[in-house]
Amino acid sequence: MLLHILGSCSGTEPMPGRDYTSWILEENDGGLLWFDAGGGCASHAYAKGLSPLKVKALFLSHPHLDHTAGLPGIFQAIRKEKWLRGDREFRELPCHTSAPEVIAAADVFLKADAAAGDEWDFTPVVRELHPGELHRDGETAVEALPNRHMPPDPRSGKPRSYSFRLRFGPKHIVYTGDVGSLDELAAWLEQPTELLMAETGHHRAAELCALVRARHWPVRRLLFLHHGLEILRDPAGEKAKADAAWGTGVLFASDGMTVPLG
């Protein structure tokens, strides 16, 4: 399995060479699980040779624009690829989100671009996020856990911000999304974790390293993404601090990075 970083920046401000947060898990069968949809993520996926017709499901951690603004591009890439390849099989894309309105809004872009009666269209299908397992396909399962990055929906009281855990065989990957504190994910992090993907838009990488050590959570590798100003201004300095706090090399995501998962 391969983990592809499409965008590594938080929504703090535009940064040369970095787009907003998005990444893909490429499964052993070539299927793709797409997480968050910041910026020009569809173009970055295309540049890496990742076909949108291989996407099995899309997962949005929360509805902030630095995680969702690339949705119209994803939908258009699917429609265009269907037309180029003459593909009539790809009909639906499950979209897991706490905000169905962002899928509906992106679908408006898709339909406005498509010709009337366009036979190559497909349907983005909303799957409302909820705690627990969301997706299972072969050896891979995806679970969700609410966090406190955003307040609950004032109308329904439902959570709007989630973290994700991917399980394949005995290995676990935890993706924090935007999160108030890693302690919110303690139930997951107390279990052996192959890779923790933690955001640094609201945290310092070295402090997160120290917290994982202090809690004695069995995390094997750390990858930081959704970078805030500290890392964007001084990546080498922040990397050195994180390495010192962790004891071994940690990974700082960059756009276009691919991480083998074994």
Side-chain angles (χ1 to χ4, degrees), residues 3-250:
L3 191 154
H4 302 283
I5 304 295
L6 306 180
S8 59
C9 190
S10 69
T12 180
E13 61 184 68
M15 284 286 171
R18 292 189 186 271
D19 210 336
Y20 296 128
T21 299
S22 183
W23 60 278
I24 283 175
L25 177 73
E26 182 178 0
E27 299 180 291
N28 291 330
D29 65 0
L32 306 177
L33 300 178
W34 197 312
F35 292 82
D36 283 337
C41 54
S43 295
H44 301 314
Y46 182 83
K48 290 185 69 66
L50 301 171
S51 170
L53 301 185
K54 297 290 187 180
V55 180
K56 296 179 179 178
L58 174 68
F59 304 86
L60 302 176
S61 61
H62 63 290
H64 284 162
L65 280 174
D66 56 324
H67 296 257
T68 62
L71 282 170
I74 295 174
F75 294 168
Q76 165 64 352
I78 291 172
R79 192 184 74 88
K80 181 70 74 174
E81 192 79 354
K82 281 172 61 65
W83 178 77
L84 288 172
R85 296 182 180 276
D87 185 303
R88 291 178 170 83
E89 297 301 317
F90 193 107
R91 302 303 302 171
E92 296 182 345
L93 175 64
C95 299
H96 299 265
T97 179
S98 63
E101 60 269 26
V102 302
I103 304 300
D107 195 33
V108 169
F109 281 82
L110 177 71
K111 288 181 168 55
D113 182 78
D118 191 338
E119 64 177 299
W120 307 107
D121 263 359
F122 78 102
T123 303
V125 179
V126 170
R127 299 281 187 263
E128 190 168 354
L129 284 176
H130 59 82
E133 187 171 288
L134 306 172
H135 169 91
R136 178 179 289 274
D137 182 52
E139 61 181 323
T140 306
V142 180
E143 300 170 318
L145 184 69
N147 63 51
R148 294 194 295 270
H149 174 63
M150 293 181 70
D153 186 298
R155 298 160 297 181
S156 66
K158 295 179 179 180
R160 289 191 291 172
S161 183
Y162 281 80
S163 303
F164 297 114
R165 179 167 69 169
L166 293 77
R167 295 186 290 108
F168 42 99
K171 295 185 178 181
H172 295 177
I173 297 173
V174 172
Y175 169 52
T176 64
D178 288 11
V179 68
S181 168
L182 287 186
D183 284 318
E184 299 174 47
L185 311 182
W188 283 352
L189 295 176
E190 289 168 355
Q191 303 175 38
T193 301
E194 174 71 17
L195 179 67
L196 170 59
M197 303 174 63
E199 61 104 348
T200 57
H202 308 91
H203 308 278
R204 301 293 288 269
E207 293 173 359
L208 294 178
C209 291
L211 178 62
V212 174
R213 289 292 192 205
R215 297 290 189 269
H216 303 288
W217 289 327
V219 173
R220 195 173 82 82
R221 288 195 293 170
L222 276 170
L223 185 152
F224 293 111
L225 73 168
H226 188 265
H227 299 315
L229 288 176
E230 290 84 2
I231 288 176
L232 296 173
R233 288 170 175 165
D234 183 19
E238 292 297 305
K239 176 74 161 59
K241 293 175 187 176
D243 284 345
W246 185 244
T248 57
V250 298

